[in-house]
Amino acid sequence: MTATLHAAPVVLTMVGSPLLEGAVLVEGGRLTDVGLRDVLARRHPAARLRQWTGVMTPGLVNAHTHLEYGPPFADLALGPRDGWWERVEDRSLSDAQWQAAARGSAHQLLQSGTTAVADVVTHGPGLTVARSLGVQGVSRNGPLTGCGPTTTAVLCTRCDAFLGVEPAPVADLLARSTVALGTGSLASCPDLDLLAEARSTRDLARLQGLEHPEEALVRALTVGGAGAVGQDLGTLEVGRRADLAVFDVPTEAPYRGLVEHGAGRCVATVLGGRLVHRR
């Protein structure tokens, strides 16, 4: 199998400083080398080069979603809050329709750079969808009460606002705790784009007095999310599964560029070494 060198003007490995003109080498679904693009190109002259624009990150982790409440439920996120849950429960789908709804959610995740989830499963037919697509993570039956081996605060800012939940102390949590982000479902959130979620959380953190939360938020989408699902994810390191995403955003301040401009700007998602989204 031909090795592929994925390169970008900025690579955020999440284990050190940003790599300028960096790259990762993918072989057999794994990362086998990480470093500067020119160095890796000389070291692996037979590798196919994919040069991307913008900022490369590990695949993002959505730490709280409900894949089954997918596109057929999206109108509910636009409607009134009163009686919302009753309207969700009133919708009866066949097994095939539940699977299709979950698949629609999973495709939205992949198109926005998310490669792992903590999925709350209410109806059985949606359980196998993420696994069939190769998305990593965990599935849970019923509400999330805690995630992973460490204490992780999972923030769902937009979903909470829609449902009328009192805003979390996100500034304090980002400054002091291990944090991950989730979107909830399309029934309670306009999209499953984690960088839109990060931007909303950034705005709330600023209102609460944390002036520059962007790096902490990108860490929440990667390393923090990995802690939430309790799996070995969230960084670009040799030996890890080749899950990564690339966003066409300004590179001068990459963390700020991702949070401010990253929503809707995913140009590539690689899942287990496979290019599953390209724009």
Side-chain angles (χ1 to χ4, degrees), residues 103-143:
R103 190 171 293 274
S105 296
H107 283 303
Q108 281 203 24
L109 293 171
L110 293 174
Q111 290 166 5
S112 57
T114 295
T115 59
V117 298
D119 182 32
V120 180
V121 177
T122 305
H123 304 274
L127 182 63
T128 60
V129 167
R131 184 182 303 165
S132 71
L133 293 173
V135 174
Q136 296 193 92
V138 293
S139 294
R140 298 175 185 267
N141 191 311

PDB file of all heavy atoms in Angstrom, residues 103-143:
ATOM      1  N   ARG A 103     -27.217   7.744  10.225  1.00  0.00           N
ATOM      2  CA  ARG A 103     -26.208   7.860   9.170  1.00  0.00           C
ATOM      3  C   ARG A 103     -26.094   9.311   8.689  1.00  0.00           C
ATOM      4  O   ARG A 103     -24.994   9.808   8.417  1.00  0.00           O
ATOM      5  CB  ARG A 103     -26.558   6.931   8.010  1.00  0.00           C
ATOM      6  CG  ARG A 103     -25.454   6.781   6.963  1.00  0.00           C
ATOM      7  CD  ARG A 103     -25.792   5.669   5.977  1.00  0.00           C
ATOM      8  NE  ARG A 103     -25.776   4.375   6.645  1.00  0.00           N
ATOM      9  CZ  ARG A 103     -24.700   3.633   6.819  1.00  0.00           C
ATOM     10  NH1 ARG A 103     -23.517   4.073   6.391  1.00  0.00           N
ATOM     11  NH2 ARG A 103     -24.761   2.477   7.428  1.00  0.00           N
ATOM     12  N   GLY A 104     -27.232  10.002   8.592  1.00  0.00           N
ATOM     13  CA  GLY A 104     -27.189  11.408   8.204  1.00  0.00           C
ATOM     14  C   GLY A 104     -26.404  12.245   9.194  1.00  0.00           C
ATOM     15  O   GLY A 104     -25.631  13.133   8.810  1.00  0.00           O
ATOM     16  N   SER A 105     -26.578  11.973  10.489  1.00  0.00           N
ATOM     17  CA  SER A 105     -25.792  12.675  11.508  1.00  0.00           C
ATOM     18  C   SER A 105     -24.311  12.368  11.364  1.00  0.00           C
ATOM     19  O   SER A 105     -23.459  13.269  11.426  1.00  0.00           O
ATOM     20  CB  SER A 105     -26.259  12.264  12.910  1.00  0.00           C
ATOM     21  OG  SER A 105     -27.581  12.650  13.165  1.00  0.00           O
ATOM     22  N   ALA A 106     -23.987  11.094  11.170  1.00  0.00           N
ATOM     23  CA  ALA A 106     -22.579  10.696  11.069  1.00  0.00           C
ATOM     24  C   ALA A 106     -21.904  11.360   9.878  1.00  0.00           C
ATOM     25  O   ALA A 106     -20.742  11.786   9.965  1.00  0.00           O
ATOM     26  CB  ALA A 106     -22.476   9.180  10.974  1.00  0.00           C
ATOM     27  N   HIS A 107     -22.610  11.477   8.771  1.00  0.00           N
ATOM     28  CA  HIS A 107     -22.025  12.140   7.602  1.00  0.00           C
ATOM     29  C   HIS A 107     -21.776  13.618   7.893  1.00  0.00           C
ATOM     30  O   HIS A 107     -20.752  14.172   7.459  1.00  0.00           O
ATOM     31  CB  HIS A 107     -22.913  11.955   6.380  1.00  0.00           C
ATOM     32  CG  HIS A 107     -22.802  10.599   5.762  1.00  0.00           C
ATOM     33  ND1 HIS A 107     -21.600  10.066   5.318  1.00  0.00           N
ATOM     34  CD2 HIS A 107     -23.730   9.645   5.508  1.00  0.00           C
ATOM     35  CE1 HIS A 107     -21.796   8.853   4.817  1.00  0.00           C
ATOM     36  NE2 HIS A 107     -23.081   8.580   4.931  1.00  0.00           N
ATOM     37  N   GLN A 108     -22.684  14.272   8.616  1.00  0.00           N
ATOM     38  CA  GLN A 108     -22.430  15.663   8.996  1.00  0.00           C
ATOM     39  C   GLN A 108     -21.182  15.782   9.852  1.00  0.00           C
ATOM     40  O   GLN A 108     -20.391  16.724   9.697  1.00  0.00           O
ATOM     41  CB  GLN A 108     -23.635  16.236   9.743  1.00  0.00           C
ATOM     42  CG  GLN A 108     -24.780  16.662   8.872  1.00  0.00           C
ATOM     43  CD  GLN A 108     -25.663  17.693   9.549  1.00  0.00           C
ATOM     44  OE1 GLN A 108     -25.234  18.421  10.452  1.00  0.00           O
ATOM     45  NE2 GLN A 108     -26.899  17.782   9.099  1.00  0.00           N
ATOM     46  N   LEU A 109     -20.993  14.841  10.765  1.00  0.00           N
ATOM     47  CA  LEU A 109     -19.800  14.854  11.605  1.00  0.00           C
ATOM     48  C   LEU A 109     -18.535  14.756  10.763  1.00  0.00           C
ATOM     49  O   LEU A 109     -17.596  15.541  10.928  1.00  0.00           O
ATOM     50  CB  LEU A 109     -19.855  13.710  12.609  1.00  0.00           C
ATOM     51  CG  LEU A 109     -20.936  13.777  13.678  1.00  0.00           C
ATOM     52  CD1 LEU A 109     -20.994  12.468  14.453  1.00  0.00           C
ATOM     53  CD2 LEU A 109     -20.695  14.941  14.627  1.00  0.00           C
ATOM     54  N   LEU A 110     -18.499  13.794   9.862  1.00  0.00           N
ATOM     55  CA  LEU A 110     -17.308  13.595   9.043  1.00  0.00           C
ATOM     56  C   LEU A 110     -17.032  14.808   8.150  1.00  0.00           C
ATOM     57  O   LEU A 110     -15.877  15.187   7.934  1.00  0.00           O
ATOM     58  CB  LEU A 110     -17.465  12.338   8.178  1.00  0.00           C
ATOM     59  CG  LEU A 110     -17.491  11.012   8.952  1.00  0.00           C
ATOM     60  CD1 LEU A 110     -17.802   9.860   8.013  1.00  0.00           C
ATOM     61  CD2 LEU A 110     -16.172  10.764   9.677  1.00  0.00           C
ATOM     62  N   GLN A 111     -18.082  15.435   7.653  1.00  0.00           N
ATOM     63  CA  GLN A 111     -17.905  16.602   6.785  1.00  0.00           C
ATOM     64  C   GLN A 111     -17.416  17.826   7.545  1.00  0.00           C
ATOM     65  O   GLN A 111     -16.969  18.788   6.925  1.00  0.00           O
ATOM     66  CB  GLN A 111     -19.223  16.913   6.071  1.00  0.00           C
ATOM     67  CG  GLN A 111     -19.591  15.884   5.019  1.00  0.00           C
ATOM     68  CD  GLN A 111     -21.020  15.989   4.555  1.00  0.00           C
ATOM     69  OE1 GLN A 111     -21.753  16.904   4.941  1.00  0.00           O
ATOM     70  NE2 GLN A 111     -21.445  15.057   3.719  1.00  0.00           N
ATOM     71  N   SER A 112     -17.485  17.788   8.860  1.00  0.00           N
ATOM     72  CA  SER A 112     -17.007  18.915   9.658  1.00  0.00           C
ATOM     73  C   SER A 112     -15.776  18.563  10.481  1.00  0.00           C
ATOM     74  O   SER A 112     -15.400  19.299  11.389  1.00  0.00           O
ATOM     75  CB  SER A 112     -18.123  19.435  10.574  1.00  0.00           C
ATOM     76  OG  SER A 112     -18.614  18.408  11.422  1.00  0.00           O
ATOM     77  N   GLY A 113     -15.137  17.431  10.171  1.00  0.00           N
ATOM     78  CA  GLY A 113     -13.854  17.104  10.785  1.00  0.00           C
ATOM     79  C   GLY A 113     -13.906  16.264  12.039  1.00  0.00           C
ATOM     80  O   GLY A 113     -12.883  16.040  12.677  1.00  0.00           O
ATOM     81  N   THR A 114     -15.099  15.777  12.415  1.00  0.00           N
ATOM     82  CA  THR A 114     -15.228  14.953  13.612  1.00  0.00           C
ATOM     83  C   THR A 114     -15.062  13.481  13.256  1.00  0.00           C
ATOM     84  O   THR A 114     -15.714  12.986  12.337  1.00  0.00           O
ATOM     85  CB  THR A 114     -16.595  15.173  14.279  1.00  0.00           C
ATOM     86  OG1 THR A 114     -16.665  16.525  14.738  1.00  0.00           O
ATOM     87  CG2 THR A 114     -16.800  14.238  15.456  1.00  0.00           C
ATOM     88  N   THR A 115     -14.212  12.789  14.000  1.00  0.00           N
ATOM     89  CA  THR A 115     -13.932  11.378  13.711  1.00  0.00           C
ATOM     90  C   THR A 115     -14.196  10.457  14.890  1.00  0.00           C
ATOM     91  O   THR A 115     -13.981   9.248  14.783  1.00  0.00           O
ATOM     92  CB  THR A 115     -12.456  11.207  13.274  1.00  0.00           C
ATOM     93  OG1 THR A 115     -11.600  11.668  14.334  1.00  0.00           O
ATOM     94  CG2 THR A 115     -12.160  11.993  11.994  1.00  0.00           C
ATOM     95  N   ALA A 116     -14.656  11.000  16.014  1.00  0.00           N
ATOM     96  CA  ALA A 116     -14.964  10.171  17.182  1.00  0.00           C
ATOM     97  C   ALA A 116     -16.102  10.813  17.957  1.00  0.00           C
ATOM     98  O   ALA A 116     -16.238  12.047  17.979  1.00  0.00           O
ATOM     99  CB  ALA A 116     -13.740  10.010  18.079  1.00  0.00           C
ATOM    100  N   VAL A 117     -16.914   9.977  18.614  1.00  0.00           N
ATOM    101  CA  VAL A 117     -18.092  10.484  19.321  1.00  0.00           C
ATOM    102  C   VAL A 117     -18.328   9.719  20.617  1.00  0.00           C
ATOM    103  O   VAL A 117     -17.900   8.575  20.775  1.00  0.00           O
ATOM    104  CB  VAL A 117     -19.376  10.359  18.464  1.00  0.00           C
ATOM    105  CG1 VAL A 117     -19.273  11.172  17.200  1.00  0.00           C
ATOM    106  CG2 VAL A 117     -19.693   8.890  18.144  1.00  0.00           C
ATOM    107  N   ALA A 118     -19.035  10.377  21.532  1.00  0.00           N
ATOM    108  CA  ALA A 118     -19.738   9.698  22.608  1.00  0.00           C
ATOM    109  C   ALA A 118     -21.213   9.837  22.258  1.00  0.00           C
ATOM    110  O   ALA A 118     -21.773  10.931  22.323  1.00  0.00           O
ATOM    111  CB  ALA A 118     -19.436  10.334  23.958  1.00  0.00           C
ATOM    112  N   ASP A 119     -21.816   8.751  21.824  1.00  0.00           N
ATOM    113  CA  ASP A 119     -23.172   8.776  21.278  1.00  0.00           C
ATOM    114  C   ASP A 119     -24.151   8.175  22.275  1.00  0.00           C
ATOM    115  O   ASP A 119     -23.961   7.046  22.736  1.00  0.00           O
ATOM    116  CB  ASP A 119     -23.210   7.985  19.966  1.00  0.00           C
ATOM    117  CG  ASP A 119     -24.575   8.013  19.308  1.00  0.00           C
ATOM    118  OD1 ASP A 119     -25.282   9.021  19.459  1.00  0.00           O
ATOM    119  OD2 ASP A 119     -24.922   7.027  18.631  1.00  0.00           O
ATOM    120  N   VAL A 120     -25.175   8.941  22.608  1.00  0.00           N
ATOM    121  CA  VAL A 120     -26.228   8.445  23.483  1.00  0.00           C
ATOM    122  C   VAL A 120     -27.262   7.731  22.618  1.00  0.00           C
ATOM    123  O   VAL A 120     -27.902   8.351  21.767  1.00  0.00           O
ATOM    124  CB  VAL A 120     -26.886   9.582  24.272  1.00  0.00           C
ATOM    125  CG1 VAL A 120     -27.985   9.035  25.172  1.00  0.00           C
ATOM    126  CG2 VAL A 120     -25.841  10.319  25.101  1.00  0.00           C
ATOM    127  N   VAL A 121     -27.423   6.438  22.823  1.00  0.00           N
ATOM    128  CA  VAL A 121     -28.314   5.615  22.001  1.00  0.00           C
ATOM    129  C   VAL A 121     -29.632   5.419  22.742  1.00  0.00           C
ATOM    130  O   VAL A 121     -29.657   4.928  23.869  1.00  0.00           O
ATOM    131  CB  VAL A 121     -27.673   4.254  21.682  1.00  0.00           C
ATOM    132  CG1 VAL A 121     -28.645   3.378  20.894  1.00  0.00           C
ATOM    133  CG2 VAL A 121     -26.383   4.468  20.906  1.00  0.00           C
ATOM    134  N   THR A 122     -30.719   5.805  22.089  1.00  0.00           N
ATOM    135  CA  THR A 122     -32.050   5.604  22.649  1.00  0.00           C
ATOM    136  C   THR A 122     -32.770   4.459  21.958  1.00  0.00           C
ATOM    137  O   THR A 122     -33.473   3.671  22.584  1.00  0.00           O
ATOM    138  CB  THR A 122     -32.880   6.889  22.529  1.00  0.00           C
ATOM    139  OG1 THR A 122     -32.165   7.967  23.145  1.00  0.00           O
ATOM    140  CG2 THR A 122     -34.241   6.747  23.202  1.00  0.00           C
ATOM    141  N   HIS A 123     -32.597   4.341  20.650  1.00  0.00           N
ATOM    142  CA  HIS A 123     -33.229   3.296  19.850  1.00  0.00           C
ATOM    143  C   HIS A 123     -32.122   2.421  19.265  1.00  0.00           C
ATOM    144  O   HIS A 123     -31.144   2.931  18.724  1.00  0.00           O
ATOM    145  CB  HIS A 123     -34.076   3.900  18.733  1.00  0.00           C
ATOM    146  CG  HIS A 123     -35.108   4.853  19.250  1.00  0.00           C
ATOM    147  ND1 HIS A 123     -36.351   4.457  19.675  1.00  0.00           N
ATOM    148  CD2 HIS A 123     -35.063   6.195  19.439  1.00  0.00           C
ATOM    149  CE1 HIS A 123     -37.042   5.510  20.083  1.00  0.00           C
ATOM    150  NE2 HIS A 123     -36.281   6.580  19.957  1.00  0.00           N
ATOM    151  N   GLY A 124     -32.262   1.125  19.359  1.00  0.00           N
ATOM    152  CA  GLY A 124     -31.201   0.201  18.972  1.00  0.00           C
ATOM    153  C   GLY A 124     -30.701   0.294  17.548  1.00  0.00           C
ATOM    154  O   GLY A 124     -29.501   0.146  17.305  1.00  0.00           O
ATOM    155  N   PRO A 125     -31.561   0.549  16.543  1.00  0.00           N
ATOM    156  CA  PRO A 125     -31.091   0.487  15.159  1.00  0.00           C
ATOM    157  C   PRO A 125     -29.960   1.448  14.823  1.00  0.00           C
ATOM    158  O   PRO A 125     -29.200   1.198  13.894  1.00  0.00           O
ATOM    159  CB  PRO A 125     -32.351   0.833  14.355  1.00  0.00           C
ATOM    160  CG  PRO A 125     -33.465   0.384  15.216  1.00  0.00           C
ATOM    161  CD  PRO A 125     -33.022   0.684  16.620  1.00  0.00           C
ATOM    162  N   GLY A 126     -29.832   2.550  15.559  1.00  0.00           N
ATOM    163  CA  GLY A 126     -28.754   3.488  15.265  1.00  0.00           C
ATOM    164  C   GLY A 126     -27.415   3.095  15.831  1.00  0.00           C
ATOM    165  O   GLY A 126     -26.398   3.730  15.546  1.00  0.00           O
ATOM    166  N   LEU A 127     -27.372   2.021  16.629  1.00  0.00           N
ATOM    167  CA  LEU A 127     -26.172   1.667  17.374  1.00  0.00           C
ATOM    168  C   LEU A 127     -24.984   1.339  16.479  1.00  0.00           C
ATOM    169  O   LEU A 127     -23.846   1.671  16.788  1.00  0.00           O
ATOM    170  CB  LEU A 127     -26.480   0.477  18.289  1.00  0.00           C
ATOM    171  CG  LEU A 127     -25.353  -0.009  19.195  1.00  0.00           C
ATOM    172  CD1 LEU A 127     -24.972   1.084  20.182  1.00  0.00           C
ATOM    173  CD2 LEU A 127     -25.794  -1.260  19.955  1.00  0.00           C
ATOM    174  N   THR A 128     -25.242   0.682  15.356  1.00  0.00           N
ATOM    175  CA  THR A 128     -24.137   0.171  14.541  1.00  0.00           C
ATOM    176  C   THR A 128     -23.663   1.142  13.475  1.00  0.00           C
ATOM    177  O   THR A 128     -22.681   0.857  12.779  1.00  0.00           O
ATOM    178  CB  THR A 128     -24.570  -1.128  13.838  1.00  0.00           C
ATOM    179  OG1 THR A 128     -25.701  -0.851  12.989  1.00  0.00           O
ATOM    180  CG2 THR A 128     -24.941  -2.195  14.854  1.00  0.00           C
ATOM    181  N   VAL A 129     -24.334   2.280  13.331  1.00  0.00           N
ATOM    182  CA  VAL A 129     -24.018   3.163  12.210  1.00  0.00           C
ATOM    183  C   VAL A 129     -22.607   3.714  12.301  1.00  0.00           C
ATOM    184  O   VAL A 129     -21.824   3.632  11.344  1.00  0.00           O
ATOM    185  CB  VAL A 129     -25.053   4.297  12.110  1.00  0.00           C
ATOM    186  CG1 VAL A 129     -24.556   5.390  11.164  1.00  0.00           C
ATOM    187  CG2 VAL A 129     -26.380   3.749  11.614  1.00  0.00           C
ATOM    188  N   ALA A 130     -22.256   4.315  13.442  1.00  0.00           N
ATOM    189  CA  ALA A 130     -20.917   4.891  13.578  1.00  0.00           C
ATOM    190  C   ALA A 130     -19.851   3.826  13.381  1.00  0.00           C
ATOM    191  O   ALA A 130     -18.840   4.049  12.707  1.00  0.00           O
ATOM    192  CB  ALA A 130     -20.773   5.555  14.945  1.00  0.00           C
ATOM    193  N   ARG A 131     -20.082   2.645  13.948  1.00  0.00           N
ATOM    194  CA  ARG A 131     -19.100   1.567  13.808  1.00  0.00           C
ATOM    195  C   ARG A 131     -18.928   1.157  12.350  1.00  0.00           C
ATOM    196  O   ARG A 131     -17.811   0.912  11.884  1.00  0.00           O
ATOM    197  CB  ARG A 131     -19.528   0.369  14.648  1.00  0.00           C
ATOM    198  CG  ARG A 131     -18.524  -0.780  14.656  1.00  0.00           C
ATOM    199  CD  ARG A 131     -19.057  -1.943  15.476  1.00  0.00           C
ATOM    200  NE  ARG A 131     -19.359  -1.526  16.844  1.00  0.00           N
ATOM    201  CZ  ARG A 131     -20.089  -2.246  17.675  1.00  0.00           C
ATOM    202  NH1 ARG A 131     -20.615  -3.394  17.288  1.00  0.00           N
ATOM    203  NH2 ARG A 131     -20.307  -1.816  18.902  1.00  0.00           N
ATOM    204  N   SER A 132     -20.036   1.093  11.616  1.00  0.00           N
ATOM    205  CA  SER A 132     -19.955   0.671  10.212  1.00  0.00           C
ATOM    206  C   SER A 132     -19.176   1.675   9.368  1.00  0.00           C
ATOM    207  O   SER A 132     -18.564   1.309   8.363  1.00  0.00           O
ATOM    208  CB  SER A 132     -21.356   0.472   9.641  1.00  0.00           C
ATOM    209  OG  SER A 132     -22.033   1.708   9.469  1.00  0.00           O
ATOM    210  N   LEU A 133     -19.210   2.941   9.766  1.00  0.00           N
ATOM    211  CA  LEU A 133     -18.476   3.973   9.028  1.00  0.00           C
ATOM    212  C   LEU A 133     -17.028   4.093   9.482  1.00  0.00           C
ATOM    213  O   LEU A 133     -16.241   4.797   8.856  1.00  0.00           O
ATOM    214  CB  LEU A 133     -19.177   5.323   9.190  1.00  0.00           C
ATOM    215  CG  LEU A 133     -20.550   5.449   8.547  1.00  0.00           C
ATOM    216  CD1 LEU A 133     -21.195   6.771   8.922  1.00  0.00           C
ATOM    217  CD2 LEU A 133     -20.461   5.311   7.032  1.00  0.00           C
ATOM    218  N   GLY A 134     -16.681   3.434  10.582  1.00  0.00           N
ATOM    219  CA  GLY A 134     -15.315   3.508  11.092  1.00  0.00           C
ATOM    220  C   GLY A 134     -15.084   4.619  12.081  1.00  0.00           C
ATOM    221  O   GLY A 134     -13.931   4.895  12.454  1.00  0.00           O
ATOM    222  N   VAL A 135     -16.161   5.287  12.527  1.00  0.00           N
ATOM    223  CA  VAL A 135     -16.026   6.347  13.521  1.00  0.00           C
ATOM    224  C   VAL A 135     -15.710   5.720  14.878  1.00  0.00           C
ATOM    225  O   VAL A 135     -16.343   4.757  15.292  1.00  0.00           O
ATOM    226  CB  VAL A 135     -17.319   7.171  13.606  1.00  0.00           C
ATOM    227  CG1 VAL A 135     -17.248   8.191  14.736  1.00  0.00           C
ATOM    228  CG2 VAL A 135     -17.584   7.877  12.272  1.00  0.00           C
ATOM    229  N   GLN A 136     -14.720   6.269  15.586  1.00  0.00           N
ATOM    230  CA  GLN A 136     -14.349   5.757  16.894  1.00  0.00           C
ATOM    231  C   GLN A 136     -15.214   6.384  17.986  1.00  0.00           C
ATOM    232  O   GLN A 136     -15.934   7.350  17.758  1.00  0.00           O
ATOM    233  CB  GLN A 136     -12.879   6.075  17.177  1.00  0.00           C
ATOM    234  CG  GLN A 136     -11.900   5.395  16.242  1.00  0.00           C
ATOM    235  CD  GLN A 136     -10.487   5.496  16.752  1.00  0.00           C
ATOM    236  OE1 GLN A 136      -9.998   4.633  17.463  1.00  0.00           O
ATOM    237  NE2 GLN A 136      -9.805   6.565  16.379  1.00  0.00           N
ATOM    238  N   GLY A 137     -15.124   5.825  19.197  1.00  0.00           N
ATOM    239  CA  GLY A 137     -15.808   6.414  20.334  1.00  0.00           C
ATOM    240  C   GLY A 137     -16.552   5.387  21.140  1.00  0.00           C
ATOM    241  O   GLY A 137     -16.216   4.198  21.153  1.00  0.00           O
ATOM    242  N   VAL A 138     -17.582   5.865  21.840  1.00  0.00           N
ATOM    243  CA  VAL A 138     -18.387   5.008  22.696  1.00  0.00           C
ATOM    244  C   VAL A 138     -19.852   5.289  22.452  1.00  0.00           C
ATOM    245  O   VAL A 138     -20.238   6.386  22.067  1.00  0.00           O
ATOM    246  CB  VAL A 138     -18.057   5.218  24.198  1.00  0.00           C
ATOM    247  CG1 VAL A 138     -16.658   4.758  24.516  1.00  0.00           C
ATOM    248  CG2 VAL A 138     -18.260   6.677  24.596  1.00  0.00           C
ATOM    249  N   SER A 139     -20.679   4.276  22.676  1.00  0.00           N
ATOM    250  CA  SER A 139     -22.127   4.420  22.627  1.00  0.00           C
ATOM    251  C   SER A 139     -22.675   4.095  24.005  1.00  0.00           C
ATOM    252  O   SER A 139     -22.259   3.126  24.634  1.00  0.00           O
ATOM    253  CB  SER A 139     -22.740   3.472  21.592  1.00  0.00           C
ATOM    254  OG  SER A 139     -22.341   3.826  20.290  1.00  0.00           O
ATOM    255  N   ARG A 140     -23.625   4.890  24.440  1.00  0.00           N
ATOM    256  CA  ARG A 140     -24.215   4.699  25.753  1.00  0.00           C
ATOM    257  C   ARG A 140     -25.731   4.706  25.605  1.00  0.00           C
ATOM    258  O   ARG A 140     -26.283   5.468  24.820  1.00  0.00           O
ATOM    259  CB  ARG A 140     -23.775   5.794  26.728  1.00  0.00           C
ATOM    260  CG  ARG A 140     -22.268   5.792  26.974  1.00  0.00           C
ATOM    261  CD  ARG A 140     -21.851   6.969  27.841  1.00  0.00           C
ATOM    262  NE  ARG A 140     -20.403   7.020  27.960  1.00  0.00           N
ATOM    263  CZ  ARG A 140     -19.715   6.464  28.936  1.00  0.00           C
ATOM    264  NH1 ARG A 140     -20.332   5.801  29.880  1.00  0.00           N
ATOM    265  NH2 ARG A 140     -18.398   6.563  28.977  1.00  0.00           N
ATOM    266  N   ASN A 141     -26.392   3.874  26.387  1.00  0.00           N
ATOM    267  CA  ASN A 141     -27.846   3.822  26.386  1.00  0.00           C
ATOM    268  C   ASN A 141     -28.359   4.656  27.545  1.00  0.00           C
ATOM    269  O   ASN A 141     -28.190   4.294  28.697  1.00  0.00           O
ATOM    270  CB  ASN A 141     -28.333   2.368  26.521  1.00  0.00           C
ATOM    271  CG  ASN A 141     -29.818   2.267  26.242  1.00  0.00           C
ATOM    272  OD1 ASN A 141     -30.603   3.025  26.788  1.00  0.00           O
ATOM    273  ND2 ASN A 141     -30.194   1.329  25.397  1.00  0.00           N
ATOM    274  N   GLY A 142     -28.936   5.792  27.222  1.00  0.00           N
ATOM    275  CA  GLY A 142     -29.440   6.686  28.255  1.00  0.00           C
ATOM    276  C   GLY A 142     -28.549   7.902  28.403  1.00  0.00           C
ATOM    277  O   GLY A 142     -27.521   8.027  27.739  1.00  0.00           O
ATOM    278  N   PRO A 143     -28.912   8.835  29.278  1.00  0.00           N
ATOM    279  CA  PRO A 143     -28.160  10.087  29.423  1.00  0.00           C
ATOM    280  C   PRO A 143     -26.733   9.849  29.891  1.00  0.00           C
ATOM    281  O   PRO A 143     -26.450   8.915  30.622  1.00  0.00           O
ATOM    282  CB  PRO A 143     -28.961  10.859  30.484  1.00  0.00           C
ATOM    283  CG  PRO A 143     -30.311  10.230  30.491  1.00  0.00           C
ATOM    284  CD  PRO A 143     -30.097   8.783  30.130  1.00  0.00           C
TER     285      PRO A 143
END
